[in-house]
Amino acid sequence: TLVHLRCLDIQANRILKLENLEKNTELEELYLSHNGISEIENLGGNAELYTIDLSNNKIEHLDHLDHLTSLSELWMNNNNIASFEELKKSGGAEGAGDRVS
C-alpha cells in the first residue's frame, strides 16, 4: 500500500464513493474533480489534507470536514450545493487565508 502518499490525483475516473483512503495518513493533496461523488466521507485518517478538489461532482452537503484542521483550499464548484449556509459547516467562510471555490 502507498501509506506515504502525499498527493493523489484521480480526477475524471467515474468514482462514486470516497473509500480506502484511511491508511494514507500523510495525504496532503486530494484531487477528485469530475467524478460522481455524492457525499464527503471516509476521510477520518487524513488529517494532514490541506487541499481537496471535489469540484464537478454531485455533492449536496459539506459534511465530515471538521477534523481537517490543515485544510486551506476546498474546491467545490459545480456540485449540487443549494445554500451558502453549507460553507459554515466546513468553516471555509472563516479565516482570511482560506480560499473556498
Side-chain angles (χ1 to χ4, degrees):
T1 61
L2 304 170
V3 294
H4 298 293
L5 189 67
R6 294 185 186 271
C7 180
L8 180 60
D9 186 338
I10 44 178
Q11 300 177 84
N13 278 286
R14 298 182 184 170
I15 295 169
L16 301 177
K17 185 174 183 175
L18 290 176
E19 55 189 352
N20 300 317
L21 295 174
E22 298 86 9
K23 293 183 180 178
N24 300 104
T25 57
E26 296 180 28
L27 196 60
E28 298 174 342
E29 299 176 62
L30 182 58
Y31 300 95
L32 289 159
S33 67
H34 297 88
N35 281 292
I37 299 166
S38 59
E39 184 177 352
I40 301 171
E41 59 186 340
N42 299 321
L43 296 176
N46 308 107
E48 300 298 317
L49 279 169
Y50 62 80
T51 298
I52 301 176
D53 182 354
L54 283 163
S55 58
N56 296 287
N57 278 286
K58 298 178 180 181
I59 297 169
E60 295 181 7
H61 304 285
L62 295 177
D63 294 323
H64 311 293
L65 295 171
D66 294 345
H67 71 286
L68 300 176
T69 57
S70 297
L71 190 63
S72 62
E73 289 188 46
L74 176 61
W75 299 85
M76 294 298 301
N77 53 297
N78 298 317
N79 275 284
N80 297 332
I81 298 171
S83 169
F84 192 73
E85 295 296 314
E86 288 293 323
L87 290 177
K88 291 180 182 179
K89 288 183 184 180
S90 72
E94 301 172 11
D98 293 346
R99 287 178 25 194
V100 177
S101 172

Coordinates of all heavy atoms in Angstrom, one line a residue:
T1 N 0.8 -1.2 0.0 CA 0.0 0.0 0.0 C 0.9 1.2 0.0 O 2.0 1.2 0.4 CB -0.9 0.0 1.2 OG1 -0.2 0.0 2.4 CG2 -1.9 -1.1 1.2
L2 N 0.3 2.3 -0.4 CA 1.0 3.6 -0.5 C 0.8 4.5 0.7 O 0.2 5.6 0.6 CB 0.6 4.3 -1.8 CG 0.8 3.5 -3.1 CD1 0.1 4.2 -4.2 CD2 2.3 3.3 -3.4
V3 N 1.3 4.1 1.8 CA 1.0 4.8 3.1 C 1.6 6.1 3.2 O 1.2 7.0 4.0 CB 1.3 3.9 4.3 CG1 0.4 2.7 4.4 CG2 2.8 3.5 4.3
H4 N 2.7 6.4 2.4 CA 3.4 7.6 2.5 C 3.0 8.6 1.4 O 3.7 9.6 1.1 CB 4.9 7.4 2.5 CG 5.4 6.6 3.6 ND1 5.4 7.1 4.9 CD2 5.9 5.3 3.7 CE1 5.9 6.2 5.7 NE2 6.2 5.1 5.0
L5 N 1.9 8.2 0.7 CA 1.4 9.1 -0.4 C 1.1 10.4 0.1 O 0.4 10.6 1.1 CB 0.2 8.4 -1.0 CG -0.3 8.9 -2.3 CD1 0.7 8.8 -3.5 CD2 -1.6 8.2 -2.7
R6 N 1.5 11.5 -0.6 CA 1.2 12.9 -0.2 C 0.2 13.6 -1.1 O -0.5 14.5 -0.7 CB 2.5 13.7 -0.1 CG 3.4 13.2 1.0 CD 4.6 14.1 1.2 NE 5.5 13.7 2.1 CZ 5.5 13.9 3.4 NH1 4.5 14.7 3.9 NH2 6.4 13.4 4.3
C7 N 0.2 13.2 -2.4 CA -0.7 13.8 -3.4 C -1.3 12.7 -4.2 O -0.7 11.8 -4.7 CB 0.1 14.7 -4.3 SG -0.9 15.5 -5.6
L8 N -2.7 12.8 -4.3 CA -3.4 11.8 -5.1 C -4.3 12.5 -6.0 O -5.2 13.3 -5.6 CB -4.2 10.9 -4.2 CG -5.1 9.8 -4.8 CD1 -4.2 8.8 -5.6 CD2 -5.9 9.0 -3.8
D9 N -4.2 12.3 -7.3 CA -4.9 12.9 -8.4 C -5.7 11.8 -9.2 O -5.1 11.1 -10.0 CB -4.0 13.7 -9.3 CG -4.8 14.5 -10.3 OD1 -5.9 14.2 -10.6 OD2 -4.2 15.5 -10.9
I10 N -7.0 11.7 -8.9 CA -7.8 10.7 -9.6 C -9.0 11.4 -10.1 O -10.2 10.9 -9.9 CB -8.1 9.5 -8.7 CG1 -8.5 9.9 -7.3 CG2 -6.9 8.5 -8.6 CD1 -8.9 8.7 -6.4
Q11 N -8.8 12.4 -10.9 CA -9.9 13.2 -11.5 C -10.4 12.4 -12.7 O -9.7 11.7 -13.4 CB -9.4 14.5 -11.9 CG -8.9 15.4 -10.7 CD -8.3 16.7 -11.2 OE1 -9.1 17.6 -11.3 NE2 -7.0 16.7 -11.4
A12 N -11.7 12.6 -13.0 CA -12.4 12.0 -14.2 C -12.2 10.5 -14.3 O -11.8 10.0 -15.3 CB -11.9 12.7 -15.4
N13 N -12.5 9.8 -13.2 CA -12.4 8.4 -13.2 C -13.7 7.7 -12.8 O -13.7 6.5 -12.5 CB -11.3 7.9 -12.2 CG -10.0 8.0 -12.8 OD1 -9.6 7.2 -13.6 ND2 -9.2 9.0 -12.3
R14 N -14.8 8.4 -12.9 CA -16.2 7.8 -12.6 C -16.3 7.2 -11.2 O -17.0 6.3 -10.9 CB -16.5 6.7 -13.6 CG -16.6 7.3 -15.0 CD -17.0 6.2 -16.0 NE -17.0 6.8 -17.4 CZ -17.1 6.1 -18.4 NH1 -17.3 4.8 -18.4 NH2 -17.1 6.6 -19.6
I15 N -15.5 7.8 -10.3 CA -15.6 7.4 -8.9 C -16.9 7.9 -8.2 O -17.3 9.0 -8.4 CB -14.4 8.0 -8.1 CG1 -13.1 7.4 -8.6 CG2 -14.5 7.7 -6.6 CD1 -11.9 8.1 -8.2
L16 N -17.6 7.0 -7.5 CA -18.9 7.3 -6.9 C -18.8 7.5 -5.4 O -19.7 8.1 -4.9 CB -19.9 6.2 -7.3 CG -20.1 6.0 -8.8 CD1 -21.1 4.8 -9.0 CD2 -20.7 7.2 -9.4
K17 N -17.8 6.9 -4.8 CA -17.7 7.0 -3.3 C -16.3 7.1 -2.9 O -15.4 6.5 -3.5 CB -18.3 5.7 -2.8 CG -18.4 5.6 -1.3 CD -19.1 4.3 -0.9 CE -19.3 4.4 0.7 NZ -20.1 3.3 1.1
L18 N -16.1 7.9 -1.8 CA -14.7 8.0 -1.2 C -14.5 6.9 -0.3 O -15.3 6.7 0.7 CB -14.6 9.3 -0.5 CG -14.6 10.6 -1.3 CD1 -14.6 11.8 -0.3 CD2 -13.4 10.7 -2.2
E19 N -13.5 6.1 -0.6 CA -13.2 4.9 0.3 C -11.8 4.5 0.2 O -11.1 4.8 -0.8 CB -14.2 3.8 0.1 CG -14.3 3.3 -1.3 CD -15.4 2.3 -1.6 OE1 -16.0 1.9 -0.6 OE2 -15.6 1.9 -2.7
N20 N -11.3 3.8 1.2 CA -10.0 3.2 1.2 C -8.9 4.2 1.2 O -7.8 3.9 0.7 CB -9.8 2.2 0.0 CG -10.8 1.1 0.0 OD1 -11.1 0.5 1.1 ND2 -11.4 0.8 -1.1
L21 N -9.1 5.3 1.8 CA -8.0 6.4 1.9 C -7.6 6.5 3.4 O -6.6 7.3 3.7 CB -8.5 7.7 1.4 CG -8.9 7.8 0.0 CD1 -9.5 9.1 -0.4 CD2 -7.6 7.6 -0.9
E22 N -8.2 5.8 4.3 CA -7.9 5.9 5.7 C -6.4 5.7 6.1 O -5.9 6.3 7.0 CB -8.8 5.0 6.6 CG -10.2 5.2 6.4 CD -10.9 4.5 5.3 OE1 -10.2 3.7 4.6 OE2 -12.0 4.8 4.9
K23 N -5.8 4.8 5.4 CA -4.4 4.4 5.7 C -3.4 5.4 5.1 O -2.2 5.3 5.5 CB -4.1 3.0 5.3 CG -4.8 2.0 6.0 CD -4.5 0.6 5.6 CE -5.3 -0.4 6.4 NZ -5.0 -1.8 6.0
N24 N -3.8 6.3 4.3 CA -3.0 7.3 3.7 C -2.9 8.5 4.6 O -3.3 9.6 4.3 CB -3.5 7.7 2.3 CG -3.5 6.5 1.4 OD1 -4.5 6.0 1.1 ND2 -2.3 6.1 0.9
T25 N -2.4 8.4 5.8 CA -2.4 9.4 6.9 C -1.5 10.6 6.5 O -1.6 11.6 7.2 CB -2.0 8.8 8.2 OG1 -0.7 8.2 8.1 CG2 -3.0 7.7 8.7
E26 N -0.6 10.5 5.6 CA 0.3 11.6 5.2 C -0.2 12.3 4.0 O 0.4 13.3 3.5 CB 1.7 11.0 4.9 CG 2.3 10.5 6.1 CD 3.7 9.9 5.9 OE1 4.4 10.5 5.0 OE2 4.2 9.0 6.6
L27 N -1.4 12.0 3.5 CA -2.0 12.6 2.3 C -2.3 14.1 2.6 O -2.9 14.5 3.6 CB -3.3 11.9 2.0 CG -3.9 12.2 0.6 CD1 -3.0 11.7 -0.5 CD2 -5.2 11.4 0.5
E28 N -1.7 15.0 1.7 CA -1.9 16.4 1.8 C -2.7 17.0 0.8 O -3.4 18.0 1.0 CB -0.5 17.1 1.8 CG 0.4 16.6 2.9 CD 1.8 17.1 2.8 OE1 2.2 17.6 1.7 OE2 2.6 17.1 3.8
E29 N -2.7 16.5 -0.4 CA -3.5 17.0 -1.5 C -4.3 15.9 -2.2 O -3.8 14.8 -2.5 CB -2.6 17.6 -2.6 CG -1.7 18.7 -2.1 CD -0.7 19.2 -3.2 OE1 -1.2 19.6 -4.2 OE2 0.5 19.0 -3.0
L30 N -5.6 16.1 -2.4 CA -6.5 15.2 -2.9 C -7.4 15.8 -4.0 O -8.1 16.8 -3.8 CB -7.4 14.6 -1.8 CG -8.4 13.5 -2.2 CD1 -7.7 12.3 -2.8 CD2 -9.2 13.2 -0.9
Y31 N -7.2 15.3 -5.2 CA -7.9 15.9 -6.4 C -8.9 14.8 -7.0 O -8.5 13.8 -7.5 CB -6.9 16.3 -7.5 CG -5.9 17.3 -7.0 CD1 -4.7 16.9 -6.4 CD2 -6.3 18.7 -7.0 CE1 -3.8 17.9 -5.9 CE2 -5.4 19.6 -6.5 CZ -4.2 19.2 -6.0 OH -3.3 20.2 -5.5
L32 N -10.2 15.1 -6.8 CA -11.2 14.2 -7.2 C -12.3 14.8 -8.1 O -13.5 14.4 -8.1 CB -11.9 13.6 -5.9 CG -11.0 12.7 -5.1 CD1 -11.5 12.6 -3.7 CD2 -11.1 11.3 -5.7
S33 N -12.0 15.9 -8.8 CA -13.0 16.5 -9.6 C -13.4 15.7 -10.8 O -12.8 14.7 -11.1 CB -12.4 17.9 -10.1 OG -11.4 17.6 -11.1
H34 N -14.6 16.0 -11.3 CA -15.2 15.3 -12.5 C -15.4 13.8 -12.2 O -15.0 13.0 -13.0 CB -14.3 15.6 -13.7 CG -14.3 17.0 -14.1 ND1 -13.3 17.9 -13.6 CD2 -15.0 17.7 -14.9 CE1 -13.5 19.1 -14.1 NE2 -14.5 19.0 -14.9
N35 N -16.0 13.5 -11.1 CA -16.4 12.2 -10.8 C -17.9 12.2 -10.5 O -18.6 13.1 -10.9 CB -15.6 11.6 -9.6 CG -14.2 11.2 -10.0 OD1 -14.0 10.2 -10.8 ND2 -13.2 11.9 -9.6
G36 N -18.4 11.2 -9.8 CA -19.8 11.1 -9.5 C -20.1 11.0 -8.0 O -21.0 10.5 -7.5
I37 N -19.2 11.6 -7.2 CA -19.2 11.6 -5.8 C -20.4 12.4 -5.2 O -20.5 13.5 -5.6 CB -17.9 12.1 -5.2 CG1 -16.7 11.1 -5.6 CG2 -17.9 12.1 -3.6 CD1 -15.3 11.7 -5.4
S38 N -21.2 11.8 -4.3 CA -22.4 12.5 -3.8 C -22.2 12.8 -2.3 O -23.0 13.6 -1.8 CB -23.6 11.6 -4.0 OG -23.5 10.4 -3.4
E39 N -21.2 12.3 -1.7 CA -21.1 12.5 -0.2 C -19.6 12.6 0.1 O -18.8 11.8 -0.3 CB -21.7 11.4 0.6 CG -21.7 11.6 2.0 CD -22.5 10.5 2.8 OE1 -23.1 9.7 2.2 OE2 -22.4 10.5 4.0
I40 N -19.2 13.5 1.0 CA -17.9 13.6 1.6 C -17.8 12.7 2.7 O -18.6 12.9 3.7 CB -17.5 15.0 2.0 CG1 -17.6 16.0 0.8 CG2 -16.1 15.1 2.6 CD1 -17.5 17.5 1.2
E41 N -17.0 11.6 2.7 CA -17.0 10.6 3.7 C -15.6 9.9 3.7 O -14.8 10.0 2.8 CB -18.1 9.6 3.5 CG -18.1 8.9 2.2 CD -19.2 8.0 2.0 OE1 -19.9 7.6 2.9 OE2 -19.5 7.7 0.8
N42 N -15.4 9.2 4.8 CA -14.2 8.3 4.9 C -12.9 9.0 4.8 O -11.9 8.5 4.3 CB -14.3 7.2 3.9 CG -15.5 6.3 4.1 OD1 -15.9 6.0 5.2 ND2 -16.1 5.9 3.0
L43 N -12.8 10.2 5.3 CA -11.5 11.0 5.4 C -11.0 11.1 6.8 O -10.2 12.0 7.1 CB -11.7 12.3 4.7 CG -12.0 12.4 3.3 CD1 -12.3 13.8 2.8 CD2 -11.0 11.7 2.4
G44 N -11.5 10.2 7.7 CA -11.1 10.3 9.1 C -9.7 10.2 9.4 O -9.2 10.7 10.3
G45 N -8.9 9.4 8.6 CA -7.5 9.3 8.8 C -6.6 10.2 8.0 O -5.4 10.1 8.0
N46 N -7.2 11.2 7.4 CA -6.5 12.1 6.5 C -6.4 13.6 7.1 O -6.6 14.5 6.4 CB -7.1 12.1 5.2 CG -7.3 10.7 4.6 OD1 -8.4 10.2 4.6 ND2 -6.3 10.1 4.2
A47 N -6.0 13.7 8.3 CA -6.0 15.0 9.0 C -4.9 15.9 8.4 O -5.0 17.1 8.7 CB -5.7 14.8 10.5
E48 N -4.0 15.5 7.6 CA -3.0 16.3 7.0 C -3.4 17.0 5.7 O -2.7 17.8 5.2 CB -1.7 15.5 6.8 CG -1.1 14.9 8.0 CD -0.7 15.9 9.0 OE1 -0.1 16.9 8.6 OE2 -0.9 15.7 10.2
L49 N -4.6 16.7 5.2 CA -5.1 17.3 4.0 C -5.1 18.8 4.1 O -5.7 19.3 5.0 CB -6.4 16.7 3.6 CG -6.5 15.4 3.0 CD1 -7.9 14.9 2.9 CD2 -5.9 15.4 1.6
Y50 N -4.5 19.5 3.1 CA -4.6 20.9 3.1 C -5.3 21.4 1.8 O -5.7 22.5 1.7 CB -3.3 21.7 3.3 CG -2.2 21.4 2.3 CD1 -2.2 22.0 1.1 CD2 -1.2 20.5 2.7 CE1 -1.1 21.8 0.2 CE2 -0.1 20.3 1.8 CZ -0.1 20.9 0.6 OH 0.9 20.7 -0.3
T51 N -5.4 20.5 0.8 CA -6.1 20.8 -0.5 C -7.0 19.7 -0.9 O -6.5 18.5 -0.9 CB -5.1 21.1 -1.6 OG1 -4.3 22.2 -1.3 CG2 -5.8 21.4 -2.9
I52 N -8.3 20.0 -1.1 CA -9.2 19.0 -1.6 C -9.9 19.6 -2.8 O -10.5 20.7 -2.6 CB -10.2 18.5 -0.6 CG1 -9.5 17.9 0.7 CG2 -11.2 17.5 -1.2 CD1 -10.5 17.6 1.8
D53 N -9.9 19.0 -3.9 CA -10.7 19.4 -5.1 C -11.8 18.4 -5.3 O -11.5 17.3 -5.8 CB -9.8 19.5 -6.3 CG -10.5 20.0 -7.5 OD1 -11.7 20.2 -7.5 OD2 -9.8 20.3 -8.6
L54 N -13.0 18.7 -5.0 CA -14.2 17.9 -5.3 C -15.1 18.6 -6.2 O -16.3 18.3 -6.2 CB -14.9 17.6 -3.9 CG -14.2 16.5 -3.1 CD1 -14.8 16.6 -1.6 CD2 -14.5 15.2 -3.7
S55 N -14.6 19.5 -7.0 CA -15.5 20.2 -8.0 C -16.0 19.2 -9.0 O -15.5 18.2 -9.3 CB -14.7 21.3 -8.7 OG -13.5 20.8 -9.3
N56 N -17.1 19.6 -9.6 CA -17.8 18.9 -10.7 C -18.2 17.4 -10.2 O -17.8 16.5 -10.9 CB -16.9 18.8 -11.9 CG -16.8 20.2 -12.5 OD1 -17.7 20.8 -13.1 ND2 -15.6 20.8 -12.3
N57 N -18.8 17.3 -9.1 CA -19.3 16.1 -8.6 C -20.8 16.3 -8.3 O -21.5 17.1 -8.9 CB -18.6 15.6 -7.3 CG -17.3 15.0 -7.7 OD1 -17.3 13.8 -8.1 ND2 -16.2 15.7 -7.5
K58 N -21.4 15.5 -7.4 CA -22.8 15.5 -7.1 C -23.1 15.8 -5.6 O -24.1 15.3 -5.1 CB -23.5 14.2 -7.5 CG -23.4 14.0 -9.0 CD -24.0 12.7 -9.5 CE -23.9 12.5 -11.0 NZ -24.5 11.3 -11.4
I59 N -22.2 16.5 -5.0 CA -22.2 16.7 -3.5 C -23.3 17.8 -3.2 O -23.3 18.8 -3.8 CB -20.9 17.1 -3.0 CG1 -19.9 16.0 -3.3 CG2 -20.9 17.5 -1.5 CD1 -18.4 16.3 -3.0
E60 N -24.1 17.5 -2.2 CA -25.2 18.4 -1.7 C -24.8 19.1 -0.4 O -25.3 20.2 -0.1 CB -26.5 17.7 -1.6 CG -27.0 17.2 -2.9 CD -28.4 16.5 -2.8 OE1 -28.9 16.5 -1.7 OE2 -28.8 15.9 -3.8
H61 N -24.0 18.4 0.4 CA -23.8 18.9 1.8 C -22.3 18.8 2.1 O -21.6 17.9 1.7 CB -24.5 18.1 2.8 CG -26.0 18.0 2.6 ND1 -26.8 19.1 2.9 CD2 -26.8 17.1 2.1 CE1 -28.0 18.8 2.5 NE2 -28.1 17.6 2.1
L62 N -21.8 19.8 2.8 CA -20.4 19.9 3.2 C -20.2 19.3 4.6 O -20.0 20.0 5.6 CB -19.9 21.3 3.2 CG -19.8 22.0 1.8 CD1 -19.4 23.4 1.9 CD2 -18.9 21.2 0.9
D63 N -20.3 18.0 4.7 CA -20.2 17.3 6.0 C -18.9 16.6 6.1 O -18.2 16.4 5.1 CB -21.4 16.2 6.1 CG -22.7 16.9 6.2 OD1 -22.9 17.9 6.8 OD2 -23.7 16.3 5.6
H64 N -18.5 16.2 7.3 CA -17.3 15.4 7.6 C -16.0 16.1 7.2 O -15.1 15.4 6.8 CB -17.4 14.0 6.9 CG -18.8 13.3 7.1 ND1 -19.1 12.9 8.3 CD2 -19.8 13.1 6.3 CE1 -20.3 12.3 8.2 NE2 -20.7 12.4 7.0
L65 N -16.0 17.4 7.5 CA -14.7 18.1 7.2 C -14.2 18.8 8.4 O -13.0 19.3 8.4 CB -15.0 19.2 6.2 CG -15.4 18.8 4.8 CD1 -15.8 20.0 3.9 CD2 -14.2 18.1 4.1
D66 N -14.9 18.7 9.5 CA -14.5 19.4 10.8 C -13.1 19.0 11.3 O -12.4 19.9 11.8 CB -15.5 19.2 11.9 CG -16.8 19.9 11.6 OD1 -16.9 20.7 10.7 OD2 -17.8 19.5 12.2
H67 N -12.7 17.8 11.1 CA -11.5 17.3 11.7 C -10.3 17.7 10.8 O -9.1 17.5 11.2 CB -11.5 15.8 11.8 CG -11.5 15.0 10.5 ND1 -12.6 15.0 9.7 CD2 -10.5 14.4 9.9 CE1 -12.3 14.3 8.6 NE2 -11.1 13.9 8.7
L68 N -10.5 18.2 9.6 CA -9.4 18.6 8.7 C -8.9 20.0 9.0 O -9.2 20.9 8.3 CB -9.9 18.5 7.3 CG -10.4 17.1 6.8 CD1 -11.0 17.2 5.4 CD2 -9.3 16.1 6.9
T69 N -8.2 20.1 10.1 CA -7.7 21.4 10.6 C -6.6 22.0 9.8 O -6.4 23.2 9.8 CB -7.2 21.2 12.1 OG1 -6.2 20.3 12.1 CG2 -8.3 20.8 13.0
S70 N -6.0 21.3 8.9 CA -5.0 21.8 8.0 C -5.5 22.3 6.7 O -4.8 22.8 5.8 CB -3.9 20.8 7.7 OG -3.2 20.4 8.9
L71 N -6.8 22.0 6.5 CA -7.5 22.3 5.2 C -7.5 23.8 4.9 O -8.0 24.6 5.7 CB -8.9 21.8 5.2 CG -9.6 21.8 3.8 CD1 -8.9 20.9 2.8 CD2 -11.1 21.4 4.0
S72 N -6.8 24.2 3.8 CA -6.8 25.6 3.4 C -7.4 25.9 2.1 O -7.8 27.0 1.8 CB -5.4 26.2 3.5 OG -4.5 25.5 2.6
E73 N -7.5 24.9 1.2 CA -8.2 25.0 -0.1 C -9.2 23.9 -0.3 O -8.9 22.7 -0.2 CB -7.2 24.9 -1.2 CG -6.3 26.1 -1.3 CD -5.4 26.1 -2.5 OE1 -5.9 25.8 -3.6 OE2 -4.2 26.3 -2.4
L74 N -10.5 24.3 -0.5 CA -11.5 23.4 -0.7 C -12.3 23.8 -2.0 O -12.9 24.9 -2.0 CB -12.5 23.4 0.4 CG -13.7 22.5 0.3 CD1 -13.4 21.0 0.1 CD2 -14.6 22.6 1.5
W75 N -12.1 23.0 -3.0 CA -12.7 23.3 -4.3 C -14.0 22.5 -4.5 O -14.0 21.3 -4.5 CB -11.8 23.0 -5.5 CG -10.5 23.8 -5.4 CD1 -9.4 23.5 -4.6 CD2 -10.2 25.0 -6.0 NE1 -8.5 24.5 -4.7 CE2 -8.9 25.4 -5.6 CE3 -10.9 25.9 -6.9 CZ2 -8.3 26.6 -6.0 CZ3 -10.3 27.0 -7.3 CH2 -9.0 27.4 -6.9
M76 N -15.2 23.3 -4.5 CA -16.5 22.6 -4.6 C -17.4 23.1 -5.7 O -18.6 22.9 -5.6 CB -17.2 22.8 -3.2 CG -16.5 22.2 -2.0 SD -16.4 20.4 -2.1 CE -18.2 19.9 -2.3
N77 N -16.9 23.9 -6.6 CA -17.7 24.4 -7.7 C -18.4 23.3 -8.5 O -17.9 22.2 -8.6 CB -16.9 25.4 -8.6 CG -15.6 24.8 -9.1 OD1 -14.7 24.4 -8.4 ND2 -15.6 24.6 -10.4
N78 N -19.5 23.6 -9.1 CA -20.3 22.7 -9.9 C -20.7 21.4 -9.2 O -20.4 20.3 -9.7 CB -19.5 22.4 -11.2 CG -19.3 23.7 -12.0 OD1 -20.2 24.5 -12.2 ND2 -18.1 23.9 -12.6
N79 N -21.2 21.6 -8.0 CA -21.8 20.5 -7.3 C -23.3 20.8 -7.1 O -23.8 21.7 -7.8 CB -21.1 20.3 -6.0 CG -19.9 19.4 -6.1 OD1 -20.0 18.2 -6.2 ND2 -18.7 20.0 -6.0
N80 N -24.0 20.1 -6.3 CA -25.4 20.3 -6.0 C -25.7 21.0 -4.7 O -26.7 20.7 -4.0 CB -26.2 19.0 -6.1 CG -26.1 18.4 -7.5 OD1 -26.0 19.1 -8.5 ND2 -26.2 17.1 -7.5
I81 N -24.8 21.9 -4.3 CA -24.9 22.6 -3.0 C -26.0 23.7 -3.2 O -25.7 24.6 -4.0 CB -23.6 23.1 -2.5 CG1 -22.6 22.0 -2.3 CG2 -23.7 24.0 -1.3 CD1 -21.2 22.3 -2.0
A82 N -27.0 23.7 -2.4 CA -28.2 24.6 -2.6 C -28.0 25.9 -1.8 O -28.7 26.8 -2.2 CB -29.5 23.9 -2.3
S83 N -27.2 25.9 -0.8 CA -27.3 27.0 0.1 C -25.8 27.4 0.5 O -25.0 26.6 0.8 CB -28.1 26.7 1.4 OG -27.9 27.7 2.4
F84 N -25.6 28.7 0.6 CA -24.4 29.3 1.1 C -24.1 28.9 2.5 O -23.0 28.8 3.0 CB -24.4 30.8 0.9 CG -23.0 31.4 1.1 CD1 -22.0 31.3 0.1 CD2 -22.7 32.1 2.2 CE1 -20.8 31.9 0.3 CE2 -21.5 32.7 2.4 CZ -20.5 32.6 1.4
E85 N -25.2 28.5 3.2 CA -25.1 28.1 4.6 C -24.2 26.9 4.8 O -23.7 26.6 5.8 CB -26.5 27.8 5.2 CG -27.4 29.1 5.3 CD -26.8 30.1 6.3 OE1 -26.4 29.7 7.4 OE2 -26.8 31.3 5.9
E86 N -24.1 26.1 3.7 CA -23.3 24.9 3.8 C -21.8 25.2 4.0 O -21.1 24.4 4.6 CB -23.4 24.1 2.5 CG -24.7 23.4 2.3 CD -24.9 22.2 3.3 OE1 -24.0 21.5 3.6 OE2 -26.1 22.1 3.7
L87 N -21.4 26.4 3.6 CA -20.0 26.8 3.9 C -19.7 27.0 5.4 O -18.5 26.7 5.8 CB -19.7 28.1 3.2 CG -19.6 28.1 1.6 CD1 -19.4 29.5 1.1 CD2 -18.6 27.1 1.2
K88 N -20.7 27.3 6.2 CA -20.5 27.4 7.6 C -20.1 26.1 8.2 O -19.3 26.0 9.2 CB -21.7 28.0 8.3 CG -22.0 29.4 7.9 CD -23.2 30.0 8.6 CE -23.4 31.4 8.2 NZ -24.6 31.9 8.8
K89 N -20.6 25.0 7.7 CA -20.3 23.7 8.2 C -18.8 23.4 8.0 O -18.2 22.7 8.9 CB -21.1 22.6 7.4 CG -22.5 22.6 7.7 CD -23.1 21.4 7.0 CE -24.6 21.3 7.2 NZ -25.2 20.2 6.4
S90 N -18.2 23.8 6.9 CA -16.8 23.5 6.7 C -15.9 24.5 7.4 O -14.7 24.2 7.4 CB -16.5 23.5 5.2 OG -16.6 24.8 4.7
G91 N -16.4 25.6 7.8 CA -15.5 26.6 8.4 C -14.8 27.4 7.3 O -14.0 28.2 7.6
G92 N -15.1 27.1 6.1 CA -14.5 27.7 4.9 C -14.8 29.2 4.8 O -14.0 29.9 4.1
A93 N -15.8 29.7 5.3 CA -16.1 31.1 5.2 C -15.4 31.9 6.2 O -15.4 33.1 6.3 CB -17.6 31.3 5.4
E94 N -14.6 31.3 7.1 CA -13.8 31.9 8.1 C -12.4 32.0 7.8 O -11.9 31.1 7.1 CB -14.0 31.2 9.5 CG -15.5 31.2 9.9 CD -15.6 30.3 11.2 OE1 -14.6 29.9 11.8 OE2 -16.8 30.0 11.5
G95 N -11.6 32.9 8.3 CA -10.2 32.9 8.1 C -9.8 33.6 6.8 O -10.2 33.2 5.7
A96 N -9.0 34.6 6.9 CA -8.6 35.4 5.7 C -7.7 34.5 4.8 O -7.7 34.8 3.6 CB -7.8 36.6 6.1
G97 N -7.0 33.5 5.3 CA -6.1 32.7 4.4 C -6.8 31.6 3.7 O -6.3 31.0 2.8
D98 N -8.1 31.4 4.0 CA -8.8 30.3 3.3 C -9.4 30.7 2.0 O -9.9 31.8 1.8 CB -10.0 29.8 4.2 CG -9.4 29.1 5.5 OD1 -8.3 28.8 5.5 OD2 -10.3 28.9 6.3
R99 N -9.3 29.8 1.0 CA -9.9 30.0 -0.3 C -11.0 29.0 -0.5 O -10.7 27.8 -0.4 CB -8.9 29.9 -1.4 CG -8.0 31.1 -1.5 CD -6.9 30.9 -2.6 NE -7.3 30.1 -3.7 CZ -6.5 29.6 -4.5 NH1 -5.2 29.9 -4.5 NH2 -6.9 28.9 -5.5
V100 N -12.2 29.4 -0.7 CA -13.3 28.4 -1.0 C -13.8 28.7 -2.4 O -14.1 29.8 -2.7 CB -14.4 28.6 0.1 CG1 -15.6 27.7 -0.3 CG2 -13.9 28.4 1.5
S101 N -13.8 27.7 -3.2 CA -14.3 27.8 -4.5 C -15.3 26.8 -4.8 O -15.3 25.7 -4.4 CB -13.1 27.7 -5.5 OG -13.6 27.6 -6.8

